Amino acid sequence: MSNDNDIRHGRHCVFKMHVHLVFVAKYRRKVFDADAINRLRTIFAKVCTDFEAQLIEMDGEDDHVHLLVEYPPKVAVSNLVNSLKGVSSRLLRKERPDIEKRYWKGVLWSPSYFASSCGGAPISIVRQYIEQQQTPH
């Protein structure tokens, strides 16, 4: 896990971007147990590494999971989400036949997801900072 003050550097940018993601099981079916959540954590971390992102935190309940991911600006959140959901569904189905029986017609995740940018200063502070910039005359 990274230190909260670590700022990452790209070739032409400096960044610290986080997204809070929530994935829900199809029809809110109670699919996950503790072992499945732990396995998902490993799968999600690997997929994030492939995207040069980092899984900061992940946990969930029996019908949904929450992720906190730090990602570079070149990564589209939608592409990351598609890969996280696709790979996790495929691997969990393969490794846990008992869970596959709880999928809804072979589908693990609801097609929708929640994504929220987070971290850094609150929006009100950023807005105030921008408003206080000296516009050239």
Side-chain angles (χ1 to χ4, degrees), residues 69-85:
V69 178
E70 182 180 358
Y71 66 101
K74 67 182 178 181
V75 171
V77 173
S78 60
N79 291 343
L80 178 62
V81 166
N82 287 340
S83 189
L84 288 167
K85 289 170 80 173

Side-chain angles (χ1 to χ4, degrees), residues 52-67:
E52 297 178 21
Q54 183 178 13
L55 182 65
I56 304 298
E57 194 63 52
M58 182 269 174
D59 212 341
E61 295 182 9
D62 55 4
D63 63 352
H64 70 280
V65 295
H66 291 261
L67 295 83

Side-chain angles (χ1 to χ4, degrees), residues 58-122:
M58 182 269 174
D59 212 341
E61 295 182 9
D62 55 4
D63 63 352
H64 70 280
V65 295
H66 291 261
L67 295 83
L68 179 61
V69 178
E70 182 180 358
Y71 66 101
K74 67 182 178 181
V75 171
V77 173
S78 60
N79 291 343
L80 178 62
V81 166
N82 287 340
S83 189
L84 288 167
K85 289 170 80 173
V87 171
S88 61
S89 178
R90 185 176 61 253
L91 291 179
L92 211 55
R93 180 186 306 117
K94 182 176 152 186
E95 297 170 8
R96 296 281 307 270
D98 60 311
I99 288 180
E100 182 185 7
K101 294 172 186 161
R102 291 182 256 166
Y103 279 31
W104 181 260
K105 297 182 180 180
V107 177
L108 173 60
W109 301 113
S110 165
S112 59
Y113 62 92
F114 170 82
S116 173
S117 61
C118 55

Side-chain angles (χ1 to χ4, degrees), residues 6-16 52 70 72-73:
D6 289 344
I7 294 178
R8 294 176 58 184
H9 300 268
R11 185 168 180 185
H12 299 284
C13 62
V14 179
F15 61 93
K16 185 166 183 70
E52 297 178 21
E70 182 180 358

